[in-house]
Amino acid sequence: MQTDTSAAESAVFAGNRAQGAVAFDVRAVDGATRRGQLHESGSLRVRFPSPEQQGLSAVLVNTAGGVAGGDRFGIDITVDEGARLTLTTAAAEKVYRSHGPSAQLEIALRVAEGGHLAWLPQETILFDQARAERRIDIELAAGASLLLCESVIFGRSAMGETMRTGRFVDRWRLRVGGKLVFAETVRLDGDIAALLDRPAVAKGGVAIGTALIAPGDAALVERLREDADAFGAEVGITAWNGIAMARFCAQDAAKLRADMVAVLRRAAGRALPRLWFS
């Protein structure tokens, strides 16, 4: 009887987990970028708020209202030859506490020759006892370009919240012309507050971010460092392997975003998504 009850509870739990998927491609048509095939399922949606002459803007929306333990989401985007896409999210994504399995997020991004992708979602906010695992796989053609920025907030300090324990696994892989040029896995598990306090991890910071830029070189690094005197938190910028990277670490989300905006504006050479400032 106890086994039957446990199985029934597990089935109910699984049946109440959110699932969502978005897959689409964008194409260059007569000098403009247009949407191609689009597939949406579950609680994930994508909207294209306004056509642009030099590219297309897209906004991801999670109608589930956040991410909980056991949820599964998948995003698959292809930018075809010569097309340009800037993508953001409608709001910061909130990952709530889980007493069971981790939420799973799978992201696949592909950019063809001469294409450009700016992947600029708003922050991911982890609540205390949140459990999330994310995987980002990026495939760039040799002549493609990428501006990708992700930020993670461990508890909303402005609301007096702290993320003490939980699990966060973040796996990134970037290939250019079929060659692996960047690979990283961040794994924070258990006493996350203690881990973030370590000098070699975040030195007490609760807001971290990474901007990945391809192609990138020493000249780009120097340009991005021109705002260094105005940074409100810790920012490190470097280039290697044909890519550039900026790392951000701050005591709160506001300082993190201010530094990110300063770097991304120089890296993008154009306005950032309006939703970042709404």
Side-chain angles (χ1 to χ4, degrees):
M1 179 65 70
Q2 190 171 24
T3 302
D4 292 342
T5 300
S6 298
E9 290 176 348
S10 297
V12 170
F13 179 85
N16 282 279
R17 296 307 89 202
Q19 296 190 36
V22 163
F24 69 92
D25 67 280
V26 296
R27 307 167 184 176
V29 180
D30 297 329
T33 300
R34 296 289 181 260
R35 190 188 79 188
Q37 297 293 319
L38 169 63
H39 170 77
E40 300 173 323
S41 66
S43 62
L44 278 190
R45 297 288 183 270
V46 62
R47 295 294 178 261
F48 301 89
S50 60
E52 300 175 8
Q53 291 184 348
Q54 296 183 341
L56 190 66
S57 294
V59 179
L60 286 171
V61 180
N62 178 12
T63 62
V67 179
D71 289 355
R72 301 182 67 89
F73 298 100
I75 298 168
D76 191 306
I77 298 172
T78 298
V79 178
D80 288 340
E81 187 172 342
R84 300 180 63 86
L85 175 68
T86 297
L87 185 142
T88 189
T89 52
E93 189 65 273
K94 299 177 179 64
V95 184
Y96 300 108
R97 68 178 183 178
S98 170
H99 296 299
S102 299
Q104 302 288 331
L105 300 93
E106 301 279 345
I107 300 168
L109 309 172
R110 288 175 294 275
V111 187
E113 180 78 21
H116 175 74
L117 172 62
W119 173 270
L120 303 172
Q122 299 191 62
E123 299 90 347
T124 297
I125 301 172
L126 301 175
F127 285 72
D128 190 27
Q129 301 179 52
R131 299 176 65 85
E133 298 181 16
R134 181 172 63 183
R135 175 170 177 158
I136 303 176
D137 288 295
I138 310 157
E139 296 276 355
L140 300 184
S145 60
L146 172 76
L147 173 60
L148 182 148
C149 189
E150 285 279 359
S151 55
V152 181
I153 313 301
F154 297 91
R156 299 179 299 182
S157 56
M159 305 290 288
E161 299 170 355
T162 302
M163 185 182 185
R164 301 188 181 280
T165 64
R167 175 179 172 83
F168 179 61
V169 180
D170 202 18
R171 179 188 182 278
W172 293 24
R173 299 292 184 270
L174 169 64
R175 289 177 171 81
V176 178
K179 179 182 177 182
L180 183 66
V181 298
F182 177 72
E184 175 178 86
T185 300
V186 173
R187 184 184 300 272
L188 298 172
D189 201 351
D191 190 345
I192 287 182
L195 291 171
L196 293 175
D197 275 340
R198 294 181 181 179
V201 180
K203 201 176 181 180
V206 296
I208 62 173
T210 299
L212 190 59
I213 308 160
D217 55 19
L220 174 61
V221 170
E222 290 304 312
R223 189 164 77 246
L224 298 181
R225 288 176 176 170
E226 290 177 4
D227 290 316
D229 291 341
F231 291 151
E234 187 173 355
V235 182
I237 306 171
T238 189
W240 81 103
N241 245 10
I243 62 174
M245 175 175 285
R247 300 280 200 184
F248 306 85
C249 183
Q251 299 298 319
D252 60 63
K255 290 181 179 179
L256 181 80
R257 179 173 282 216
D259 289 345
M260 278 188 161
V261 167
V263 170
L264 292 176
R265 276 179 169 158
R266 288 190 177 275
R270 56 181 298 181
L272 297 177
R274 284 176 292 178
L275 285 169
W276 273 51
F277 307 101
S278 59

